[in-house]
Amino acid sequence: MAHDIKILTEAELREAVKLDLAAIDVVERAFAALATGKVVMPPILSMEIEEANGEVDVKTAYIPGFDGFAIKVSPGFFDNPKLGLPSLNGLMVLFSAKTGLVEALFLDNGYLTDVRTAAAGAVAARHMAPEVVKTAGAIGTGVQARLQIEAAHLVRPFSRVLVWGRDMAKAEACAADISRKLGIEARAEADPARLVAESQLVVTTTPSREPVFKADWLHPGLHVTAMGSDQGEKNEIEPRALVEASAYICDRVSQCEALGELRTAIAAGLWSGDMPAELGAVVTGAVPARRSAQDITICDLTGTGAQDTAIATHALGCALAAGAGTTIRA
Amino acid sequence: MAHDIKILTEAELREAVKLDLAAIDVVERAFAALATGKVVMPPILSMEIEEANGEVDVKTAYIPGFDGFAIKVSPGFFDNPKLGLPSLNGLMVLFSAKTGLVEALFLDNGYLTDVRTAAAGAVAARHMAPEVVKTAGAIGTGVQARLQIEAAHLVRPFSRVLVWGRDMAKAEACAADISRKLGIEARAEADPARLVAESQLVVTTTPSREPVFKADWLHPGLHVTAMGSDQGEKNEIEPRALVEASAYICDRVSQCEALGELRTAIAAGLWSGDMPAELGAVVTGAVPARRSAQDITICDLTGTGAQDTAIATHALGCALAAGAGTTIRA
């Protein structure tokens, strides 16, 4: 009855699991499965701990065709920086989808979430961006600005990156990191309108509550991935842009209505059309997002439990292949 | 930033964490905290995996005054016995309630749940059973029949146990185990009415969907703990008994309405009185459950996330004291 359980720390996971095409492919499979309608993805379990200015979210999803399912626990304790600790922590547990036995514990402190979030951006870029992208723009200067650009570069090997942020010093640091990592030109751009005008692919990666991307900036041949909004108060894209784009695609409509850019557009009375299509349907080809090089496309990413199950399954494969981590017989 | 995480297997937990007065006391503290109204206990996250005849539940609770909070994942995969595996598995993760950092992983396969469930029965017995219990009766012959009797014996040291089950051979095996464990007389009793008549404390521990305890069996000086029903289809106690008892107490009213004996009583139109009191209020003394030796009391236990947080906190203390488990620096 005893079986082996793999345990990997964040350091071991950073070594074993890379943001590469294999990670993008497994996340793409998860989106394709979402489109089949057979994925089971319950609402997020959420608990607030007011006394500690903390909150905990638990996500899970079962995807037919994947051997395991992940349960992800994401605590956010926003007074931690005062203690010299990061606000965000957490882990993923991978269970067998056949027996429910624990297969692996990933003490990743959010690293696998970073990877699967960036991988979703690459899936969107692969299926929605114009074939030729010369310049990519990042709005935002954090971890996801770096990783979204890195992931998109794997599917659209652009030669130039522009970075805008409210803090130019941070934009410059972000651009320098990207340039070093990808070996291409990357620089901070002080004017976000010019950043968008010069880019064929833009990722918005901010926690903004007011649009950082104006509808007037849309131009033919542009793809935008908006991944910053994942809560009911956030909004990165001016709502009119969703209506004016040739195609607006959700990672999950039910989530985008509540947490994504779609929420603001609905609240503004601007979105009254059909239900948007989902990224999974674009992946499978059921819905064509981009019909021409001149189309304008927007993809709204809020983050799904299906991606967690995909990346956790992938991480176990990587760990076993690399002989990484600790094995406990339990 | 790296910190130590304790990992304990089921075997290590069985060695380090016993069903004793310390476990009962910590669970009692959790119930007392529940009564203060300051506990945060979100609804259970539940996911069904039809293809594998499986389901997964995730429970959590934050209790002010406890240093940590637990997240418990309980998979039930009901085709596992065909593979030679137990149906129920799972683990608990203990997080710091101040920082959200992972403190411990308990790969307990449900063992800690067994302990905290039995401990809740002892809390009910301590505060609701008559002072003097000579004979205790168990209806049901499984793990909880054994553990509930063992736990109750710690707070009411009875000298005789009767066990009834649909299968007399199992009742005999259960009685033999209890007798060996507690060093007292224990025997199977073929007639459940007689079992109740001769007992001052009865625990019902079955997954029955039809009452196994009849209202006519109530007698002065009896306490009943019903812990078998934890799902919307289950029912152990004939609903009329809840109304006829001197006191009917819930572990958590919102759960007993949906999952416990109260559900059937409400459905039968029998329960139209006030909202029942909760065990926590009995523990703190806010509500007197038993006013005399002749009173008849019933406690309905459905199992709470607060108990999980309590037992996980206790388990970490036991593990550290015993130097048990594996430590991973992550």
Side-chain angles (χ1 to χ4, degrees):
Chain A
M1 285 196 350
H3 71 293
D4 287 346
I5 298 175
K6 265 282 179 220
I7 300 175
L8 278 93
T9 64
E10 180 186 344
E12 290 164 341
L13 287 162
R14 285 186 183 273
E15 197 59 41
V17 183
K18 300 296 185 189
L19 178 51
D20 55 15
L21 284 172
I24 293 168
D25 289 345
V26 75
V27 169
E28 182 171 295
R29 268 181 65 209
F31 279 112
L34 268 179
T36 66
K38 287 181 184 155
V39 167
V40 187
M41 197 158 71
I44 297 164
L45 181 158
S46 201
M47 178 167 76
E48 236 184 301
I49 300 181
E50 272 181 42
E51 291 174 71
N53 191 19
E55 63 180 38
V56 192
D57 283 349
V58 184
K59 288 185 183 182
T60 188
Y62 165 70
I63 313 175
F66 279 72
D67 292 338
F69 65 91
I71 291 188
K72 177 169 82 172
V73 185
S74 309
F77 281 64
F78 304 102
D79 292 342
N80 277 4
K82 294 178 201 164
L83 307 170
L85 296 169
S87 297
L88 302 177
N89 295 288
L91 81 169
M92 289 194 196
V93 187
L94 183 69
F95 295 84
S96 161
K98 298 210 166 45
T99 65
L101 290 176
V102 178
E103 297 197 323
L105 300 163
F106 301 122
L107 303 164
D108 72 324
N109 294 317
Y111 171 66
L112 294 179
T113 299
D114 284 344
V115 173
R116 65 81 152 148
T117 301
V123 172
R126 184 187 261 166
H127 293 277
M128 296 178 64
E131 280 304 315
V132 179
V133 175
K134 288 187 176 166
T135 298
I139 291 183
T141 60
V143 172
Q144 276 297 317
R146 290 158 171 84
L147 295 183
Q148 288 285 339
I149 290 293
E150 193 182 326
H153 191 256
L154 289 164
V155 299
R156 292 291 186 274
F158 38 80
S159 55
R160 193 170 72 127
V161 175
L162 304 175
V163 181
W164 176 85
R166 284 176 308 171
D167 181 334
M168 272 301 277
K170 286 187 181 168
E172 278 158 17
C174 180
D177 284 351
I178 289 170
S179 178
R180 197 175 311 120
K181 180 87 184 184
L182 300 182
I184 58 175
E185 183 195 341
R187 65 167 178 84
E189 165 57 59
D191 178 0
R194 192 156 59 214
L195 176 146
V196 175
E198 296 192 14
S199 300
Q200 295 81 51
L201 186 162
V202 170
V203 287
T204 62
T205 66
T206 74
S208 187
R209 290 162 183 239
E210 298 294 330
V212 289
F213 185 107
K214 304 288 183 195
D216 285 344
W217 300 346
L218 292 178
H219 60 78
L222 176 69
H223 169 73
V224 182
T225 293
M227 60 68 57
S229 183
D230 58 354
Q231 282 178 20
E233 308 83 40
K234 294 184 185 170
N235 172 218
E236 293 192 293
I237 310 287
E238 190 181 0
R240 186 162 52 83
L242 273 53
V243 186
E244 293 182 2
S246 323
Y248 163 74
I249 305 290
C250 296
D251 60 353
R252 192 68 167 169
V253 172
S254 57
Q255 291 192 181
C256 290
E257 282 172 347
L259 313 170
E261 302 302 331
L262 186 54
R263 184 191 63 83
T264 327
I266 292 170
L270 284 170
W271 189 274
S272 50
D274 296 338
M275 190 160 107
E278 294 188 346
L279 183 54
V282 176
V283 165
T284 62
V287 169
R290 173 171 295 277
R291 293 160 192 268
S292 85
Q294 296 307 300
D295 272 359
I296 300 169
T297 52
I298 299 178
C299 187
D300 190 354
L301 300 178
T302 53
T304 65
Q307 287 160 260
D308 298 323
T309 282
I311 202 68
T313 303
H314 178 61
L316 180 56
C318 294
L320 292 173
T326 306
T327 303
I328 287 201
R329 202 160 173 78
Chain B
M1 284 192 356
H3 72 293
D4 287 345
I5 298 175
K6 265 282 178 219
I7 301 176
L8 278 95
T9 64
E10 180 186 343
E12 290 165 340
L13 287 163
R14 284 185 184 274
E15 196 59 41
V17 184
K18 300 296 185 189
L19 177 51
D20 55 16
L21 284 172
I24 293 167
D25 289 345
V26 75
V27 169
E28 183 171 293
R29 268 181 64 208
F31 278 111
L34 267 179
T36 66
K38 288 180 184 155
V39 166
V40 188
M41 197 159 72
I44 298 164
L45 181 159
S46 200
M47 178 167 77
E48 235 184 301
I49 301 181
E50 272 181 42
E51 291 174 69
N53 192 19
E55 63 180 36
V56 192
D57 283 349
V58 183
K59 288 185 184 180
T60 188
Y62 165 69
I63 312 177
F66 279 73
D67 292 339
F69 65 91
I71 291 189
K72 177 170 83 172
V73 184
S74 310
F77 281 65
F78 304 103
D79 292 343
N80 276 4
K82 293 178 200 162
L83 308 169
L85 296 168
S87 296
L88 303 176
N89 294 289
L91 81 167
M92 287 194 197
V93 187
L94 183 69
F95 296 84
S96 161
K98 299 211 165 44
T99 65
L101 291 176
V102 178
E103 299 199 320
L105 300 162
F106 300 122
L107 302 164
D108 72 322
N109 295 318
Y111 171 67
L112 293 179
T113 300
D114 284 345
V115 173
R116 65 81 153 147
T117 301
V123 172
R126 185 187 261 169
H127 295 276
M128 296 177 65
E131 280 304 316
V132 179
V133 174
K134 289 188 174 166
T135 298
I139 291 184
T141 61
V143 171
Q144 276 297 318
R146 290 161 171 83
L147 294 183
Q148 288 285 341
I149 290 293
E150 193 182 327
H153 191 256
L154 290 165
V155 299
R156 292 290 186 273
F158 39 80
S159 55
R160 192 170 74 127
V161 175
L162 304 175
V163 181
W164 176 85
R166 284 176 310 172
D167 180 333
M168 272 301 277
K170 286 185 180 168
E172 277 158 17
C174 180
D177 284 350
I178 289 169
S179 177
R180 197 176 313 119
K181 179 88 185 183
L182 300 182
I184 59 174
E185 183 195 341
R187 66 168 177 81
E189 166 57 59
D191 178 1
R194 193 156 56 213
L195 175 146
V196 176
E198 295 192 13
S199 300
Q200 295 82 49
L201 187 163
V202 170
V203 287
T204 63
T205 66
T206 74
S208 186
R209 290 161 184 241
E210 298 294 330
V212 289
F213 185 107
K214 304 290 183 193
D216 285 344
W217 300 347
L218 293 178
H219 59 78
L222 176 68
H223 169 73
V224 182
T225 293
M227 60 67 57
S229 183
D230 58 356
Q231 284 178 18
E233 309 82 41
K234 295 184 185 170
N235 172 219
E236 293 191 294
I237 310 288
E238 190 180 1
R240 187 162 52 83
L242 273 54
V243 186
E244 293 183 3
S246 322
Y248 162 76
I249 304 289
C250 296
D251 60 353
R252 191 69 166 168
V253 172
S254 56
Q255 291 192 183
C256 290
E257 282 173 349
L259 314 169
E261 302 303 329
L262 186 55
R263 184 191 64 83
T264 327
I266 291 170
L270 284 171
W271 189 274
S272 50
D274 295 338
M275 191 160 106
E278 293 188 345
L279 183 55
V282 175
V283 165
T284 62
V287 169
R290 172 171 297 276
R291 293 162 191 267
S292 85
Q294 297 306 299
D295 272 0
I296 300 170
T297 51
I298 300 179
C299 187
D300 190 354
L301 300 178
T302 53
T304 65
Q307 287 160 260
D308 297 324
T309 281
I311 202 70
T313 303
H314 178 62
L316 180 56
C318 295
L320 292 173
T326 306
T327 302
I328 287 200
R329 202 161 173 78

